[in-house]
Amino acid sequence: MSRERILIVSSRKEFISFCKVVFERYFDFFCVQTEEISFIRPEFFLVLAVLIDGSCFSCGESSYISKFFKNTLERPIFVCFKESDCLKYVSALVKLKGEVSSSGKDLFCAEKLDECICAENNLCLGFKAQIEIACKSDSTVLLLGESGSGKNHTARFIHENSIRKNSKFTSFNLAEINPNLIESSLFGSIKGSFTGAEENSGIFEEASNGTLFIDEICELSLESQGKFLGVLDSREFSKVGSSKKLGLDARLIFATDSKISELVEKNLFKKQLFYRISVLVINVPPLRERKDELVKIAEDCASVFGKKLSSCAIKKLLDFSWPGNIRQLKNCIERSCVSAKKEILFADDIIFF
C-alpha cells in the first residue's frame, strides 16, 4: 500500500512530534505553520487529510480554518485540541487510507489548460499550476497582471473547469461604473431608494449559483470597501433602500492591474478586504513572457482574415515588448491584415501603431 501524506497545521513542535510518533507507521507528513495558511499551495492537494492543531486558534478561528480547508481541498478535516486527541483519529485515517481510490472524476482538464497556455518557461509553468488549483476549488481568487494580459480570459477558463461550470459566468468591471452607482449596481436597489432609482436586482443577485468576476477591484472607494467586506464576511447583502437580507451564493474572482499591496500600505485599500479576496492569488504573466502563446494568438487572429504569417513577421512580433499585451497584439494583427493586400504577411506588413 502506498504511503499517503497528512497535512499537519500547527506552530507547536511538540504537537507535530507527537503526530509523527502516532502516525509514522502509516503515513508521511507535510507540515505548515499556522501563519502560513493564508494562501493555498499546490502541495496541499497531495495530502489524504488535514490534521489541525486546534490549540493554536480560538474556537471561532478553528471552525473557520476547518471549513476553509474542507471547502477548498475537499479533504477530511480532523481538529485536535490536545496531543492525545490524535489517538482517536488513527483508525479513521487508516480506514480512509484503505478506501482511497484514484478513479474519481477530475474536474480539471489538463489538456484544455495546455491548449490555453502553451508557453513552457518556468513562469508560465507556475501560472498553469496556479490555475489548476483554482479549477479544483471553489475558493475566492485574486488575479494580478498588466492591463490586457488576459485576466478576464483566465477567470472564464477557471469557471468553465470548476464545479460551477454549468451555471452563469458574470463579468463586472468597476472602472466602467459611475462611482455613485457602484453600490446599487452590486447590491441592487428598490424603487425610490434614491432619486431615479428603479427596482434593480444587482450583480450579486444575478450571479447566484455561478461565478462572479469583478475586475478593477481597486476602484472601490474606501466607504464601499467597508460594505463590500461586510458582504464577504457574512455572505449576505441588502439592496440599497432595503433591510431584507439576501444570500450571496457565487464563486468570486477578482482582478486588478494595480499594485494592490502598495495601496494597502498607503491605506488606500483596506487590509482586511485584501486578506478576504486573496485566498488564491494568481499572477497572470505579461504576453512578452509567453512567446509560444503569442505566436498561436497571432496566427489564429490572422487566419480570421484569411492571412498567414511568415517567419520574418513572427520574428518581428516576438521582438516587440507588447506593453498592451493580448489586446494590443490582436489589434496589431487586425490592422496589419486589413492593410495588407497579400495573403502572406511579411515583416514590413506588421504595423504596430
Side-chain angles (χ1 to χ4, degrees):
M1 190 176 287
S2 62
R3 297 276 292 185
E4 301 288 349
R5 292 207 294 177
I6 295 177
L7 171 61
I8 300 176
V9 182
S10 177
S11 296
R12 297 192 300 126
K13 292 182 179 179
E14 58 270 26
F15 179 83
I16 295 174
S17 298
F18 188 86
C19 288
K20 289 184 176 179
V21 170
V22 172
F23 295 110
E24 64 182 353
R25 176 182 174 185
Y26 310 101
F27 305 103
D28 289 329
F29 304 94
F30 176 59
C31 305
V32 294
Q33 301 289 308
T34 53
E35 61 270 20
E36 295 178 328
I37 60 175
S38 297
F39 303 100
I40 296 296
R41 292 154 58 179
E43 299 95 324
F44 291 1
F45 284 95
L46 302 178
V47 301
L48 174 72
V50 182
L51 202 61
I52 297 175
D53 182 359
S55 67
C56 293
F57 305 95
S58 67
C59 185
E61 287 176 330
S62 179
S63 176
Y64 171 77
I65 295 299
S66 298
K67 186 180 296 185
F68 172 75
F69 276 110
K70 185 174 182 179
N71 292 344
T72 303
L73 303 185
E74 298 180 351
R75 301 292 194 273
I77 309 298
F78 300 90
V79 181
C80 304
F81 290 96
K82 54 184 183 294
E83 278 80 349
S84 59
D85 286 348
C86 297
L87 298 173
K88 63 185 180 183
Y89 296 135
V90 174
S91 60
L93 283 166
V94 172
K95 181 179 179 182
L96 179 64
K97 178 182 173 72
E99 294 174 348
V100 168
S101 171
S102 60
S103 62
K105 183 180 179 182
D106 192 349
L107 292 171
F108 174 74
C109 179
E111 291 76 14
K112 287 180 66 177
L113 180 57
D114 288 335
E115 187 178 310
C116 176
I117 306 166
C118 51
E120 290 297 332
N121 59 50
N122 289 335
L123 178 65
C124 292
L125 288 175
F127 180 39
K128 286 183 180 181
Q130 290 176 319
I131 292 179
E132 181 172 353
I133 292 172
C135 290
K136 289 181 176 179
S137 80
D138 199 40
S139 296
T140 301
V141 177
L142 175 62
L143 300 175
L144 303 176
E146 297 177 5
S147 177
S149 57
K151 296 187 291 295
N152 193 308
H153 178 72
T154 301
R156 189 175 292 275
F157 181 90
I158 291 172
H159 167 74
E160 291 175 351
N161 290 276
S162 73
I163 58 175
R164 297 180 185 263
K165 61 185 177 182
N166 294 322
S167 298
K168 184 178 180 181
F169 176 83
T170 304
S171 180
F172 185 73
N173 191 323
L174 288 170
E176 297 175 352
I177 306 298
N178 184 320
N180 297 323
L181 298 176
I182 282 181
E183 289 185 20
S184 61
S185 298
L186 289 170
F187 308 141
S189 61
I190 61 174
K191 188 172 183 178
S193 56
F194 55 89
T195 303
E198 296 292 337
E199 185 73 24
N200 173 30
S201 60
I203 294 298
F204 283 158
E205 191 173 357
E206 292 178 5
S208 183
N209 299 318
T211 299
L212 175 55
F213 173 55
I214 300 181
D215 202 0
E216 303 297 349
I217 184 61
C218 292
E219 293 296 319
L220 274 181
S221 67
L222 284 172
E223 181 181 358
S224 294
Q225 287 176 32
K227 295 179 180 179
F228 202 91
L229 177 59
V231 172
L232 296 186
D233 282 339
S234 66
R235 282 281 167 169
E236 292 182 332
F237 64 97
S238 298
K239 292 184 177 183
V240 176
S242 172
S243 59
K244 181 181 178 181
K245 295 292 185 181
L246 301 172
L248 174 61
D249 179 16
R251 202 266 180 89
L252 298 173
I253 302 179
F254 299 93
T256 180
D257 56 9
S258 300
K259 295 182 178 179
I260 192 169
S261 57
E262 294 181 6
L263 296 179
V264 171
E265 291 177 4
K266 295 176 181 178
N267 294 319
L268 297 176
F269 195 89
K270 289 185 178 295
K271 185 180 296 184
Q272 292 303 316
L273 179 56
F274 171 66
Y275 293 151
R276 268 298 185 189
I277 67 175
S278 58
V279 178
L280 297 176
V281 180
I282 298 179
N283 291 284
V284 182
L287 186 61
R288 58 184 171 275
E289 301 289 346
R290 295 143 58 185
K291 299 294 188 181
D292 296 340
E293 189 177 355
L294 187 157
V295 174
K296 183 177 184 299
I297 293 173
E299 290 178 335
D300 288 346
C301 289
S303 66
V304 172
F305 297 93
K307 307 287 186 180
K308 295 182 179 180
L309 301 173
S310 66
S311 58
C312 59
I314 291 175
K315 184 179 184 306
K316 186 173 181 178
L317 294 173
L318 291 173
D319 289 341
F320 191 66
S321 61
W322 301 107
N325 290 288
I326 295 175
R327 189 179 298 120
Q328 183 183 13
L329 172 62
K330 288 183 175 180
N331 289 340
C332 170
I333 297 300
E334 180 176 353
R335 183 185 308 114
S336 302
C337 289
V338 171
S339 302
K341 295 181 179 180
K342 304 182 292 293
E343 180 183 350
I344 299 178
L345 272 62
F346 293 90
D348 291 343
D349 297 313
I350 302 298
I351 306 172
F352 291 123
F353 302 104

